[in-house]
Every structure is written in structure tokens, then in C-alpha cells.
Amino acid sequence: MSETTYHYPQKMGRIILLGMEEVIGKGGKDAILSFAKLGDLTSSAANERTFSFETVSKLQQALEQLYGPRGGRGLALRTGRACFKYGIKEYGSMLGLTEMAFRLLPLPTKLHTGARSFADLFNKHTDQRVRVEETDTHILWHIERCPLCWERKAEEPVCHLAVGLLQEALYWLSGGKVFSVEETACHARGDACCTITIQKTPLT
Ligand SMILES: [Zn+2]
């Protein structure tokens, strides 16, 4: 048995499954669950922190195994984007990101504040740890304890869901602009943590 003791709340696990279902359909999601030998994942109450990092990681791995590395990557990115939409419904008002006062802030302020409150959400409500570092040109989203690649080894970064999630967060935050978002370090590859590097200036 694994000694995993880190978890997401059930609510967040459900958001991942919903996002996955939106992208690959219910049949696809069920195939992933059975391939990864994951049974009923959503039995306990929404706020309980019982959705294990091991499960989150297995879901990602199963996507790659069933759809191939490239196909799985694309689907994980899209799953991440879908997760943001469900996540903002669930957590948006708590984070203060859906209030008009926030919406009216200039983009650099929104990026700065948004990154911090989004990181706080993970740090306070999950066992995932995120540290935000900012330079003049970039935001570095360091996932210091990452569920996506939990106990995995890989040649390339594999936390694509986080990339998709942040892409969609930035799109939403900026009112429809597209940003360069890339995973530049990954724990699964032997890096100290998983780092998603975001260019502060939008591409479009
Ligand atoms: Zn990772």
C-alpha cells in the first residue's frame, strides 16, 4: 500500500472528474477509472480532504497510457481548462475574484492578486503547496508538493492539467487574452518542484 497522506478535498477531486468527463465523455472517464483501477472516488462529503494525490496522479497517467503521450497531454490540458470553469463556480466568490471591484482592476494588478489568491486556495484548502514568484516579465507558479505527478518518473514535464488550468485562469482574468504558459520544471523529471512559467504580457 502507498503511504500517501496528502489529499485534495473531495470537491476538487469531483471538479477534476467533471472536467475530464467534459473532454472525453462519460464513457472515456469510466474507461480511465477502470484502467487506473480506481473505484468509486466520490463517496465522502464534499469538504472532506480525502481525494488522494495518488489518485490524482493515476488519473493523469491513465490518460497518457490510454491516449498515448501526445494525445494524453492534449486531453490533460483541455481537462485543466474545463476544471477552471467548474472551479471558479465553486470557489470564485470565496476568492473575491468574481466581484466587480476585482474585475475592474488593471491587468497587472489582477495577475498579481489573482495568482496570490489562487495559490492561497491550494495552500489553505488542500495539501498541495504553491509558491508564487514574480519577476518583471514572468510569474513562476512553483508547485512544491504536486498531486499531478505524485510518485511518477518521467523524461518530460507531465503536469499538463495545471498548465491548462492556469491558461484558462489567465484567459478568464484578462477578459479573453491568451498567455504563454509552460511547465519548465517537473518533480517527476527530477526537478526540485513543478514550475509553471507564465509570461505576464499576453500573446494576443
Ligand atoms: Zn508535478
Side-chain angles (χ1 to χ4, degrees):
M1 285 297 285
S2 161
E3 292 176 12
T4 300
T5 51
Y6 297 127
H7 296 87
Y8 268 168
Q10 277 295 315
K11 211 191 281 188
M12 226 176 248
R14 282 177 206 179
I15 287 171
I16 293 177
L17 294 173
L18 273 173
M20 204 171 250
E21 190 167 318
E22 182 175 314
V23 173
I24 56 176
K26 187 177 184 311
K29 185 202 73 179
D30 290 343
I32 290 285
L33 290 179
S34 83
F35 184 81
K37 299 191 170 56
L38 298 166
D40 181 15
L41 294 175
T42 52
S43 46
S44 50
N47 287 316
E48 275 178 42
R49 225 183 261 193
T50 49
F51 201 95
S52 74
F53 278 22
E54 193 184 13
T55 297
V56 176
S57 170
K58 275 184 178 167
L59 289 170
Q60 310 309 308
Q61 194 166 8
L63 266 182
E64 286 179 29
Q65 286 169 325
L66 278 183
Y67 294 91
R70 190 174 299 180
R73 176 178 180 273
L75 294 172
L77 281 169
R78 286 171 55 199
T79 298
R81 290 188 208 130
C83 286
F84 179 80
K85 291 187 298 177
Y86 294 111
I88 200 74
K89 273 186 213 150
E90 192 68 54
Y91 293 105
S93 63
M94 186 182 87
L95 296 176
L97 300 181
T98 48
E99 281 160 30
M100 190 51 81
F102 177 80
R103 306 287 293 167
L104 293 174
L105 292 171
L107 182 58
T109 314
K110 277 204 279 197
L111 291 180
H112 173 83
T113 312
R116 265 156 188 76
S117 48
F118 206 33
D120 276 354
L121 168 70
F122 289 104
N123 291 331
K124 287 180 186 158
H125 297 275
T126 81
D127 293 326
Q128 177 175 327
R129 290 293 166 266
V130 177
R131 183 171 56 85
V132 177
E133 184 188 345
E134 260 185 89
T135 69
D136 288 345
T137 51
H138 291 85
I139 295 172
L140 303 175
W141 177 267
H142 299 296
I143 310 174
E144 298 187 317
R145 192 191 285 151
C146 177
L148 295 167
C149 63
W150 187 253
E151 291 180 330
R152 287 194 65 186
K153 293 259 177 294
E155 302 287 316
E156 302 284 331
V158 290
C159 307
H160 313 302
L161 190 146
V163 174
L165 184 75
L166 292 173
Q167 279 176 339
E168 191 63 27
L170 290 156
Y171 185 83
W172 178 87
L173 209 65
S174 63
K177 294 188 192 308
V178 176
F179 291 75
S180 162
V181 182
E182 206 185 338
E183 187 177 18
T184 49
C186 183
H187 192 256
R189 195 179 65 175
D191 298 313
C193 65
C194 302
T195 301
I196 316 285
T197 301
I198 299 160
Q199 260 178 39
K200 283 183 178 176
T201 311
L203 300 168
T204 57

